[in-house]
Amino acid sequence: EIVMTQSPATLSVSPGERATLSCRASQGLSSNLAWYQQKPGQAPRLLIYGASTRATGVPARFSGSGSGTDFTLTISSLQSEDFAVYFCQQYNNWPPGGTFGPGTKVDIK
Amino acid sequence: QVQLQQSGPGLVKPSQTLSLTCAISGDSVSSNSAVWSWIRQSPSRGLEWLGRTYYRSKWYNDYAVSVRGRITINPDTSRNQFSLQLNSVTPEDTAVYYCARSGRGYDYWGQGTLVTVSS
């Protein structure tokens, strides 16, 4: 099973600043990686799929990059509603439903 | 607009069966392009995919190794929904359970159900 790791565990950022979140896979994924945002008490929300394609309705300040084993989610200018936990998920390999990273919490500096 | 509405009890006794249902609107459980999954989330295990059902001229199911032998996911075409049954639960099965649709990533999720396993 592919193991996903994310860094940092917590990222403290001021509103308006840029945030860069990392995700690494234990095996190559091609571009079969998604990013999710989760706020307290809510289900995760799909932000990015295919490593770099924004899901419907996702603001352009969110961008994804990378392929193989190393991926990045960038939030260009943090808004108040962006403070949340972000998860990456691989869907390239077993299990068929994919595996999730442990998450990066983005909080207010 | 696709919506997934979960229902089921929030408290299950150890050794009993956890049962949840996910009602689909705006799509079909029999869709030839969608896949319908159950995912759970707990502090100790994070987000964990449990299993899925999907229709591609016939019905298919896949289950996570961690719950295989205890889990059943069934589609219900008459009600346009799918269900989760997890047998012989223990306190380690305490989690928030989600149903979700996947195409490229999980694009629609249910609201989540906190299921506590306790006597």
Side-chain angles (χ1 to χ4, degrees), chain A residues 36 38 44 89 94 96-97, chain B residues 41 52 68 98 104 106 109:
Chain A
Y36 300 84
Q38 187 177 34
Q89 178 230 346
W94 186 266
Chain B
Q41 185 174 28
R52 67 182 187 176
R68 195 172 292 162
Y98 294 101
R104 292 165 289 188
Y106 293 101
W109 296 68

Side-chain angles (χ1 to χ4, degrees), chain B residues 22-100:
Chain B
C22 182
I24 303 163
S25 58
D27 199 349
S28 170
V29 71
S30 305
S31 164
N32 270 296
S33 59
V35 176
W36 306 98
S37 289
W38 287 97
I39 295 163
R40 67 183 177 185
Q41 185 174 28
S42 65
S44 59
R45 303 173 76 103
L47 284 160
E48 180 187 16
W49 172 81
L50 299 176
R52 67 182 187 176
T53 189
Y54 59 99
Y55 185 77
R56 301 290 186 269
S57 301
K58 69 174 186 177
W59 288 102
Y60 293 88
N61 287 297
D62 296 297
Y63 300 124
V65 170
S66 61
V67 293
R68 195 172 292 162
R70 295 198 294 136
I71 187 173
T72 304
I73 295 176
N74 281 323
D76 181 344
T77 57
S78 65
R79 298 181 181 182
N80 201 30
Q81 62 187 29
F82 63 108
S83 64
L84 166 69
Q85 289 195 6
L86 187 64
N87 302 326
S88 305
V89 297
T90 72
E92 289 190 353
D93 293 311
T94 294
V96 177
Y97 286 75
Y98 294 101
C99 60

